[in-house]
């Protein structure tokens, strides 16, 4: 069901109900691209059944599906059409179109060609575990994940998300595991990794289907290269590729997961896949974060007898929501500090 996961922490104040989520998604159901629309996205039934519910709840976990449709229009085709129109204008007027005119011609050519383009569809699965306050997006591109997060926050009232970060950098941990040949408890190092240098050369070394407990790998690490990808397995049940940005890619459930289970009927396949994914990955994710030193605490440790809350009051009395993304929190703190003036001290100084 899932091939890639980017993991987010859900704000404590958001308590979703199936009906509320269903009603919110219904306002943004998928519609195919119009004749001159380059992109269209919207919500579709996760089971793939026409007119089915937009939210599936299985064992308390919510499953959503976002459909993306785009028109394939290569830039070379647009340029060819622009050159053709520009040549016609030069022939008729005796003058070449200027920069502004060429920009307008590019827009004209795009509008002409879009209705003739092929359409390309893809889908993105979203998995929400309310009790664990986790939201996972099955997308390999960070940019696409950001688009999905923006759409979710816009669609689901009260939802706040921030990208989970580990206390220790994944690259640092992966380097230590490779140097020592020892992974965290329950994990094993498999036979694929990528090492990159941090100097101006940006050298890259890749190993595929290759033993990694060798001196050559350790020499690359000692020379300053850092792991950006490392293949691992968890309890011989799930194999995956861990990246230096804490993305989980190339997820595959191993034979041990299916032992003792009959092949489900076609109409039961979705439920079976969702149950397996939630059970196996729901155990793997916290174990992996623990192996990376635990989750980074953006709020910091509260003093004895106190509990860290999800808000902070700036000197100008602005209330900062700490359930936002880390970048948003940083920007809000900086703005509040600037507004406070040079002579005002923040209460945490």
């Amino acid at each position: 069901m899932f091939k890639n996961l980017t993991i987010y922490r859900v704000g404590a104040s958001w308590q979703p109900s199936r009906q509320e989520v269903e009603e919110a998604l219904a306002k943004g159901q998928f519609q195919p691209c119009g004749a001159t629309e380059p992109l269209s996205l919207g919500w579709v039934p996760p089971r793939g059944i026409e007119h089915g519910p937009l939210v599936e709840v299985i064992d308390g976990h919510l499953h959503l599906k976002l459909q993306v449709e785009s028109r394939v229009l290569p830039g070379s085709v647009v340029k060819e059409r622009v050159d053709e129109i520009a040549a016609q204008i030069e022939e008729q007027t005796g003058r070449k179109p200027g920069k502004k005119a060429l920009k307008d011609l590019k827009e004209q050519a795009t509008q002409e060609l879009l209705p003739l383009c092929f359409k390309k569809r893809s889908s993105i699965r979203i998995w929400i575990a309310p009790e664990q306050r986790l939201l996972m997006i099955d997308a390999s591109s960070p940019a696409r994940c950001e688009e999905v997060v923006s759409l979710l926050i816009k669609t689901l009232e009260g939802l706040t998300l921030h990208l989970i970060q580990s206390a220790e950098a994944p690259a640092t941990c992966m380097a230590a595991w490779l140097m020592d040949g020892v992974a965290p408890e329950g994990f094993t190092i498999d036979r694929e990794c990528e090492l990159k240098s941090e100097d101006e050369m940006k050298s890259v070394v890749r190993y595929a289907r290759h033993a990694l407990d060798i001196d050559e790998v350790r020499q690359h690490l000692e020379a300053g290269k850092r792991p950006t990808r490392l293949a691992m397995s968890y309890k011989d049940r799930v194999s995956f590729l861990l990246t230096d940005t804490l993305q989980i890619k190339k997820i595959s459930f191993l034979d041990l997961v299916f032992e003792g289970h009959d092949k489900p009927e076609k109409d039961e396949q979705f439920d079976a896949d969702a149950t397996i994914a939630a059970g196996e990955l729901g155990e793997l994710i916290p174990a992996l974060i623990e192996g990376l030193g635990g989750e980074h605490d953006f709020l910091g440790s509260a003093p004895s007898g106190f509990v860290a809350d999800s808000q902070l009051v700036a000197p100008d009395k602005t209330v900062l929501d700490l359930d936002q993304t880390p970048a948003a929190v940083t920007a809000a703190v900086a703005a509040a500090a600037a507004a406070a003036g040079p002579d005002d001290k923040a209460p945490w100084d």
Side-chain angles (χ1 to χ4, degrees), residues 7-318:
I7 312 164
Y8 295 84
R9 178 67 67 190
V10 178
S13 60
W14 191 62
Q15 301 295 330
S17 72
R18 175 175 182 166
Q19 182 177 354
E20 290 173 345
V21 176
E22 179 81 29
E23 291 174 355
L25 298 187
K27 299 175 183 177
Q29 291 190 66
F30 174 76
Q31 298 293 333
C33 285
T36 57
E37 283 184 313
L39 177 71
S40 178
L41 49 83
W43 305 103
V44 295
R47 289 182 186 271
I49 300 174
E50 192 174 0
H51 306 304
L54 299 175
V55 182
E56 291 290 346
V57 181
I58 299 173
D59 296 331
H61 297 254
L62 281 66
H63 296 271
L64 321 177
K65 186 177 179 181
L66 184 68
Q67 184 95 310
V68 180
E69 183 177 84
S70 59
R71 290 183 177 273
V72 182
L73 179 55
S76 59
V77 175
V78 176
K79 184 179 183 304
E80 184 178 338
R81 178 56 181 155
V82 169
D83 291 343
E84 182 181 326
I85 300 174
Q88 292 174 355
I89 293 174
E90 184 178 0
E91 183 179 346
Q92 294 170 1
T93 64
R95 293 183 300 173
K96 290 184 178 182
K99 288 185 178 180
K100 184 178 183 304
L102 287 174
K103 184 178 179 181
D104 293 338
L105 289 180
K106 183 178 180 180
E107 179 65 26
Q108 176 186 332
T110 300
Q111 294 301 310
E112 286 181 9
L113 294 170
L114 276 175
L116 307 176
C117 292
F118 290 107
K119 296 180 182 179
K120 179 181 178 181
R121 283 190 180 184
S122 61
S123 59
I124 301 170
R125 292 192 179 274
I126 295 98
W127 162 30
I128 305 173
E131 289 189 11
Q132 293 77 24
R133 289 178 50 216
L134 293 175
L135 183 145
M136 281 69 63
I137 298 175
D138 185 359
S140 59
S141 164
R144 182 49 56 88
C145 287
E146 290 177 7
E147 291 175 0
V148 175
V149 166
S150 297
L151 181 61
L152 285 168
I153 291 175
K154 181 181 178 181
T155 302
L156 303 176
E157 185 177 356
L159 174 65
T160 56
L161 298 169
H162 70 72
L163 189 64
I164 280 188
Q165 296 184 26
S166 54
E168 298 180 32
T172 301
C173 291
M174 290 189 287
W177 302 339
L178 287 168
M179 286 292 291
D180 300 337
V182 179
E185 184 178 356
F187 292 89
T188 55
I189 297 173
D190 291 342
R191 297 168 62 84
E192 180 182 348
C193 81
E194 179 182 84
L195 306 173
K196 285 186 179 181
S197 65
E198 298 178 335
D199 57 21
E200 65 278 1
M201 296 298 292
K202 304 297 182 185
S203 303
V204 180
V205 178
R206 296 185 178 92
Y207 292 89
R209 298 182 295 278
H210 197 291
L212 302 178
D213 55 344
I214 56 176
D215 289 339
E216 183 180 289
V217 171
R218 288 187 281 270
Q219 288 166 5
H220 282 302
L221 295 170
E222 290 169 354
K225 292 185 178 68
R226 287 291 175 261
T228 54
R229 297 180 174 216
L230 179 63
M232 305 182 74
S233 296
Y234 181 63
K235 293 185 175 180
D236 295 325
R237 300 177 68 84
V238 186
S239 67
F240 63 97
L241 193 68
L242 175 64
T243 76
D244 57 346
T245 57
L246 195 46
Q247 281 188 299
I248 302 175
K249 297 189 172 186
K250 292 187 177 181
I251 297 169
S252 178
F253 298 110
L254 305 180
D255 292 342
L256 192 60
V257 172
F258 304 101
E259 286 186 3
H261 295 280
D262 296 329
K263 185 175 177 62
E265 299 293 334
K266 186 176 180 180
D267 59 348
E268 298 174 345
Q269 188 67 55
F270 181 90
D271 299 76
D273 290 345
T275 300
I276 289 173
E280 300 296 333
L281 298 175
E283 183 179 339
L284 181 155
I285 290 169
L288 178 60
I289 294 173
E290 183 65 25
L292 294 169
E295 185 176 351
H296 178 72
D297 184 6
F298 291 105
L299 296 177
S301 300
S304 178
F306 291 84
V307 177
D309 206 344
S310 61
Q311 292 183 332
L312 183 69
V313 181
D316 63 349
K317 307 304 180 185
T318 300

